[in-house]
Every structure is written in structure tokens, then in C-alpha cells.
Amino acid sequence: EIVMTQSPATLSVSPGERATLSCRASQSVSSSLAWYQQKPGQAPRLLIYGASTRATGIPARFSGSGSGTEFTLTISSLQSEDFAVYYCQQYNNWPRTFGQGTKVGIK
Amino acid sequence: EVQLLESGGGLVQPGGSLRLSCAASGFTFSSYAMTWVRQAPGKGLEWVSAISSGGGSTYYADSVKGRFTISRDNSKNTLFLQLNSLRAEDTAVYYCAKDKGAAGANWFDPWGQGTLVTVSS
């Protein structure tokens, strides 16, 4: 099983600032990496797939990068609606696995 | 608009069974793989199971293999998850999600709103 490790676990950011979230895979997943956003009481929402392609309707302030074992999700200028938990997920191997999540909170 | 609506959750005793359903609409259900993901209270996401578009291929997490069974009825646009031999650690919100393709080799989008399964005596 591929273990996905996200860092940091918690990130405190002021509105308008940049947030950088990391995700590391225990072995290469190529570019088969997705990012999801989850707000309290809601289902997860797809943000990024293929490591760097924004899903439909996702604002340009969200960007993804990386390949192999190291990935990054960047939120260029945090808006109030971006405070949430973010998960990475690999879909290169079975079983599919998620990172433990990064909670982005208001500083 | 793609919609996924889970049902069937509830309170069950350890060792008991439940059958979850996910009613799909707004897309050609028979053309897409589907998946189940769960989330224990206050915890992260855990992938549970997936099924190919035609139902011929199924995949399970080790934690549920032999106890859970995924299936689908393409004539009724419905996905199922049969949960047997339930344990306290199976307590979670169970989400169904649509895969991008037919074989289950892609990301999940969108997700349903989830159904809560509570295993307790």
C-alpha cells in the first residue's frame, strides 16, 4: 500500500496570504494525484487531478505541482471560503490511498 | 447536473449487517466506475471499495475485504455496498463518488452527501 503523508497537519494563514501544502508518496505515483477540499459538514470536493489540472469551476488561485513522490498544492491568495481541510489522494495503485489531511485555518 | 444520493445508514450492533445504496442521476451511470469512501468521526478519508462500469471488476481495502461487497444495478442507476460482520471501527460517514472513467483508474468527482453508519451495542 502506498502511504501518502501530508504536511503540515495544520496551517494558520491570514486572508490574502499564500498557502503551500505538501503531499509525499511512499513510492512513485507518477502524476496520478488528486487534491480535494472538505469543509465542515460537507462532502469533499475535487480541486486538482493529474497533479496539476484544475477541476471544472475551481478558481485559478488553486494550483498543483509535482510528480513521482513529491506534490504541492498552492493557494495563491487565501479567501475566507478557502479555510478548510485539504486531502491528497493517489490513484496510481490499488488500494487508493489518501493523505491524513492539512487543516488550513485563519491566523 | 450529476447527483449522488446515499441511503441505508443507521445504528447497527457489532456483528450486524447493513446495505447502503447510492442513487445516481444526471449522467450515463453504466459508463462510469464508482467508489465508496468513508470518514470516521473527526478523522480523515479512507477509500473502501470500487467497481468498474460493468461490474466485472471490484476492488477493496484490506480493512473491509471479506466483509463488505460492492455491487451495482445499471438498469436502476444504483450503487450498493453490503456491510457484514460490522465492527465499531466501521463507524463512519460513507460517501459514494463517481470515477472519471470506466475502469476505476481515476479521481473521484463528484461525491454524494454521505450516509452515517454507527456500529454500537
Side-chain angles (χ1 to χ4, degrees):
Chain A
E1 170 175 318
I2 296 178
V3 177
M4 307 300 292
T5 303
Q6 291 185 240
S7 61
T10 304
L11 188 60
S12 295
V13 185
S14 298
E17 288 188 341
R18 182 186 199 91
T20 303
L21 289 66
S22 296
C23 175
R24 174 176 293 178
S26 60
Q27 66 187 73
S28 177
V29 298
S30 186
S31 294
S32 301
L33 191 286
W35 289 94
Y36 301 89
Q37 177 193 66
Q38 187 179 34
K39 297 179 181 178
Q42 296 185 16
R45 177 177 72 145
L46 176 70
L47 295 177
I48 300 284
Y49 62 89
S52 61
T53 302
R54 276 190 305 277
T56 302
I58 301 303
R61 64 181 180 272
F62 291 91
S63 63
S65 64
S67 66
T69 61
E70 300 283 344
F71 301 89
T72 300
L73 174 69
T74 301
I75 312 171
S76 60
S77 177
L78 267 154
Q79 305 298 303
S80 57
E81 61 266 30
D82 301 335
F83 293 99
V85 180
Y86 293 83
Y87 295 93
C88 62
Q89 177 239 329
Q90 66 82 19
Y91 50 92
N92 195 65
N93 287 63
W94 298 100
R96 305 312 191 211
T97 45
F98 290 89
Q100 80 280 17
T102 291
K103 182 176 182 178
V104 177
I106 301 174
K107 187 173 182 180
Chain B
E1 180 192 4
V2 174
Q3 289 195 338
L4 300 170
L5 185 62
E6 301 93 335
S7 60
L11 175 64
V12 60
Q13 292 188 339
S17 298
L18 274 180
R19 190 192 199 199
L20 307 183
S21 299
C22 171
S25 60
F27 65 103
T28 305
F29 181 71
S30 60
S31 295
Y32 293 91
M34 297 292 293
T35 203
W36 289 96
V37 175
R38 69 183 180 183
Q39 186 170 38
K43 303 298 184 182
L45 302 172
E46 180 188 14
W47 175 82
V48 172
S49 182
I51 186 168
S52 61
S53 59
S57 296
T58 57
Y59 309 87
Y60 297 94
D62 285 346
S63 58
V64 307
K65 199 173 295 183
R67 300 188 299 121
F68 292 7
T69 302
I70 191 171
S71 62
R72 62 192 297 160
D73 185 339
N74 285 344
S75 68
K76 296 183 178 179
N77 293 345
T78 305
L79 173 71
F80 302 101
L81 187 66
Q82 178 69 41
L83 289 62
N84 296 333
S85 303
L86 282 161
R87 307 166 179 166
E89 55 265 35
D90 295 319
T91 294
V93 173
Y94 286 73
Y95 296 100
C96 67
K98 173 181 167 290
D99 193 281
K100 176 64 172 63
N106 299 284
W107 52 93
F108 311 139
D109 179 50
W111 300 49
Q113 88 293 343
T115 187
L116 176 63
V117 172
T118 303
V119 184
S120 175
S121 55

